[in-house]
Amino acid sequence: MPKLKRTEDANNRVATDFVESLDRGLRVLEVFGAGQQPMTLSDLAKAAGLARATARRILFTLEHAGFVATDGKLFRLTPRVLLLASSYLASNHVVSVLQPALDKLSGEAQEISSMAILDGNEVVFIARASPTRVFSSGIDIGYRLPAFCTSVGRVLLSRLSDDELAAALDRMDLVQLTPLTVTDRKKLQQAIIADRAKGYSLVDREAEPGFRSISVPVRRYDGVIVAAINMGAHVDRVSSEEMVERFLPRLREAAASVKAMLV
């Protein structure tokens, strides 16, 4: 019964401490990220599932705080929203520890490397390194992709038990992004379990046409997977065999070099 009481207390806190207006404001910010900027009040309200009057008050508040600007008709985000992202990156221990390792990895391999974490059914790239320090077009910090069809996503999903993995895949919307995207849940589960055993994942043209990538898990001191790092290239430039032979050892070395520092 004490356990039941704690559950009831937690549910009561959610009901009493939930700030609906803040939740709505965050939803509006998310809509900006998912849509094309700038956007009209009507488009924002519809996308966020809010009444027009409610969306107007939220946008006025965000404008007053400096996160949104408007010409009277169209609304757009301002650079001030980057404060939210920079605060997260500055406080993220994994990013601060891994960035030097990524820089070293990219410099030695002369390839771009990235780090991602799992956020729901998607992966979010939160660190990146380039041998030239000039980022090319493609995957940037904050970029999101479905977890099920990416090498970083499959590495991160491999930390789940078989039952947890099956449940996670059942919750996902398995969209065919390319002709090679695997959308069969049983096949996906088998592939992720196999990647778990190998200690890496190589995904070939499933997330983007003509692009393949290889990833390894980043583990903290106790072996728990906290992130994934990858390297990718166009299929015409780097073969799957080269990825395993040239990229994989360097990725594993980079991940192993930070394990003791991640707590």
Side-chain angles (χ1 to χ4, degrees), residues 61-82:
T61 303
L62 291 172
E63 182 185 10
H64 182 74
F67 291 105
V68 167
T70 181
D71 61 2
K73 180 179 179 182
L74 298 175
F75 295 84
R76 60 177 175 80
L77 295 180
T78 72
R80 186 173 177 81
V81 298
L82 295 176

Side-chain angles (χ1 to χ4, degrees), residues 111-168:
E111 299 284 349
I112 292 173
S113 60
S114 303
M115 179 176 70
I117 58 171
L118 195 64
D119 184 23
N121 296 334
E122 297 179 316
V123 292
V124 185
F125 290 85
I126 61 173
R128 194 166 185 253
S130 167
T132 60
R133 305 308 304 166
V134 177
F135 291 175
S136 62
S137 61
I139 293 176
D140 292 316
I141 293 175
Y143 192 73
R144 289 175 173 266
L145 284 170
F148 78 93
C149 61
T150 56
S151 62
V152 285
R154 291 183 185 175
V155 162
L156 291 164
L157 289 171
S158 73
R159 69 189 179 191
L160 304 176
S161 68
D162 290 356
D163 290 342
E164 291 171 334
L165 176 59

Side-chain angles (χ1 to χ4, degrees), residues 161-181:
S161 68
D162 290 356
D163 290 342
E164 291 171 334
L165 176 59
L169 292 174
D170 283 341
R171 293 191 296 267
M172 294 183 185
D173 184 15
L174 307 182
V175 179
Q176 186 106 27
L177 299 181
T178 78
L180 296 178
T181 306

Side-chain angles (χ1 to χ4, degrees), residues 135-238:
F135 291 175
S136 62
S137 61
I139 293 176
D140 292 316
I141 293 175
Y143 192 73
R144 289 175 173 266
L145 284 170
F148 78 93
C149 61
T150 56
S151 62
V152 285
R154 291 183 185 175
V155 162
L156 291 164
L157 289 171
S158 73
R159 69 189 179 191
L160 304 176
S161 68
D162 290 356
D163 290 342
E164 291 171 334
L165 176 59
L169 292 174
D170 283 341
R171 293 191 296 267
M172 294 183 185
D173 184 15
L174 307 182
V175 179
Q176 186 106 27
L177 299 181
T178 78
L180 296 178
T181 306
V182 177
T183 57
D184 182 273
R185 285 177 168 78
K186 289 186 178 180
K187 289 182 179 179
L188 277 171
Q189 184 171 12
Q190 292 170 357
I192 294 170
I193 291 173
D195 288 345
R196 183 200 297 153
K198 292 186 300 184
Y200 73 92
S201 177
L202 195 159
V203 173
D204 193 354
R205 293 167 288 178
E206 290 192 46
E208 299 178 53
F211 188 84
R212 59 171 60 104
S213 69
I214 187 169
S215 300
V216 302
V218 176
R219 300 178 184 273
R220 67 187 187 196
Y221 74 100
D222 57 359
V224 173
I225 296 174
V226 294
I229 55 175
N230 85 325
M231 303 182 86
H234 195 274
V235 294
D236 293 337
R237 192 170 66 81
V238 180

Side-chain angles (χ1 to χ4, degrees), residues 12-64:
N12 288 335
R13 283 198 301 273
V14 170
T16 58
D17 295 344
F18 183 78
V19 182
E20 186 175 14
S21 59
L22 176 59
D23 176 68
R24 289 173 172 175
L26 294 173
R27 279 159 54 191
V28 170
L29 288 176
E30 288 178 344
V31 166
F32 275 111
Q36 297 293 322
Q37 293 190 59
M39 301 178 71
T40 66
L41 169 61
S42 296
D43 288 340
L44 283 162
K46 182 178 180 181
L50 298 172
R52 183 183 170 91
T54 301
R56 183 188 294 109
R57 290 195 299 272
I58 290 171
L59 288 168
F60 175 79
T61 303
L62 291 172
E63 182 185 10
H64 182 74

